[in-house]
Amino acid sequence: MFMENLNHYIAHCLSALPAWTGPLLVAVMLVALLLMWRWRWRDYLLPYRLSRQQARHAAEPLSAPALSASPSPFAAPQLRATVVVTACNQADDLRRNLPHILSQNFSLFEVVVVDEASTDDTRALLEYLSKTNPRLRYTFVPHTAANVDRHKLAITLGIRAARAPWVVLTSADCQPAGQEWLPAIARHFTADDTYDFVLGYATYADDGTSAARRLVYERLRRQLMRFRAAQGTALPWQRRKDIPRGLAFGADSANLAIRKAWFMAQGGYADSLTVTCGEDDLLLSALARPRRTAVVPLAAARVVQTLPPRPVRATLRVMQRETLCHLSPRGRRFLWREGLASASGTLFALALLLYLALRAAELLHHPVWQPATLPADVAALLLLLAVVVLPGALLSCSLTTLGERRFSFLRQTLYAMAQPWRGLLLKLKRRRHRHDYVRKLR
């Protein structure tokens, strides 16, 4: 009796649906897939394509480094880059990572370590190392600096102390991928001031745990979005597609180069010193100019940061969420773009579930499969395979370029599905702590 009533109800529902309901759902899935490609998936391929284009034009001459105005052969050669390393109670990290920074295969550079009012033996270590290595200098943030963000103040002091026209920012817990890190970044340090910023890739040390893999994926996604904003999109008839054409709104301060003259002329962090986060995104949101931010998506140009403890990770996520509330209009448009990509993925999933429910109802009413539904069934299957396989295949090419370990297709799909819900939870946490990250000047 129940089955008869069920079949009768299914037959009534199917008769009320038009014949083109199945093809319409497939068309909705196709549109959602194209939107995900436009708003998210094409960014996955950006490092791979950009690295190939840069390698293709690597033989073309670049502007020579700035030379001294004095023609005297006895004049001291000018420094080309200053690496600014910020440290706060990180003496062990400095012992481990400073030798890798000081041994770069690059001439005419110096390293400035900024001590953020540490209470451990950081100061004593820096005094000893600066006496044994002529490239190393250090400065410090005074303990009385209580009403401003000490990290931003440390970066500002380091840039002020730099003797070179270009400053490369990193942190004490970051280690360069090799001795070619600084040369890869410095390729864009030109004498004609073509660029104001150069973005490198930063990642976490991957110990194979689920938490580390998720953090690496989240950081990768953030940087891909910022790379796309800085690089822009080249038109089909433009030959040099590796030249940036966008407007940057953010970066990763663990691997970021800044032209000192531009930073000082614009006041640096003058407008955001009281916001205790966003030393990377807020800086570029305020100072970046169109077509003047270069991207270096190479494995040789990456830095690897020590995985932070679990409580620190939670705080960092909330701080990143707070930073998004202070972005420029350009940054907010990219956040809307990311949200629309997630909405497209949800639309695809809903259309697929409705299509599967429709086909299941038809099979319950007519146990014999209907050949007329073959084109729609094949199209739905191919679209499902594309959604599962295509993002992983595209990202795998860029992961190889960046020197990153690959993600399984299933893990990557689960991360992407969980991302909007994680973002919603972070919004709630940020709202609860919204007064903790803005300090009032006294």
Side-chain angles (χ1 to χ4, degrees), residues 90 165 259 275 309 399 434:
Q90 294 175 294
R259 189 163 62 88
V275 181
L399 290 176
R434 62 186 180 276

Side-chain angles (χ1 to χ4, degrees), residues 358-435:
L358 177 63
R359 294 294 294 120
E362 290 176 352
L363 289 176
L364 284 176
H365 185 62
H366 299 291
V368 180
W369 178 73
Q370 302 295 324
T373 62
L374 177 62
D377 290 346
V378 172
L381 179 60
L382 292 177
L383 290 173
L384 177 60
L385 290 175
V387 167
V388 175
V389 175
L390 189 59
L394 295 175
L395 191 59
S396 295
C397 299
S398 292
L399 290 176
T400 302
T401 302
L402 296 170
E404 197 72 78
R405 203 179 85 181
R406 297 186 180 185
F407 297 91
S408 67
F409 290 175
L410 179 59
R411 185 188 293 268
Q412 183 178 325
T413 302
L414 293 176
Y415 285 159
M417 292 174 60
Q419 200 74 13
W421 306 106
R422 290 184 179 277
L424 180 60
L425 292 176
L426 285 177
K427 284 183 180 180
L428 298 176
K429 290 181 180 179
R430 177 259 161 190
R431 184 167 182 81
R432 191 165 63 248
H433 299 280
R434 62 186 180 276
H435 300 299

Side-chain angles (χ1 to χ4, degrees), residues 20 74 77 89 101 143 163 195 225 232 250 252 283 381 403 417:
W20 42 263
F74 301 100
N89 295 323
I101 297 175
H143 291 272
R163 296 169 179 167
Y195 303 115
M225 184 167 57
D252 195 312
L283 179 64
L381 179 60
M417 292 174 60

Side-chain angles (χ1 to χ4, degrees), residues 67-78:
L67 300 177
S68 173
S70 173
S72 171
F74 301 100
Q78 289 187 348

